[in-house]
Amino acid sequence: MSHMATLDSIVHCDPQILGGTPVFRGTRVPVKNLIDYLKAGDTLDQFLDDFPSVSREQAVAALELARDLLTAGARPPR
């Protein structure tokens, strides 16, 4: 997965999979699980150990995309 991954290449939403909850593409693992793990103080490695169907590249790409989306309108510090 490249740094320039798109949302569609990382996340999949299908009403037939967990009621449309956004999941990592090719898995049934909700993307929210990654955020919840990190919020709880768990490491990326702990998340990946518990959800082996998610690759490190997918998880890192999701975090990079979230960062990019959250900082897209940010102004540089003065």
Side-chain angles (χ1 to χ4, degrees):
M1 212 85 19
S2 76
H3 175 70
M4 299 304 290
T6 63
L7 181 62
D8 192 49
S9 70
I10 301 166
V11 178
H12 181 69
C13 297
D14 181 336
Q16 300 299 313
I17 300 173
L18 298 176
T21 299
V23 297
F24 285 96
R25 184 164 288 286
T27 77
R28 294 178 63 85
V29 179
V31 175
K32 182 181 182 307
N33 287 11
L34 173 58
I35 304 303
D36 290 344
Y37 262 65
L38 298 175
K39 180 180 172 185
D42 294 318
T43 66
L44 178 58
D45 286 330
Q46 288 169 312
F47 171 80
L48 295 171
D49 286 346
D50 288 348
F51 298 97
S53 62
V54 178
S55 71
R56 177 174 295 278
E57 291 78 17
Q58 284 177 301
V60 169
L63 293 171
E64 289 175 343
L65 184 59
R67 179 203 59 214
D68 292 348
L69 290 171
L70 290 169
T71 60
R75 295 191 184 114
R78 293 181 182 209

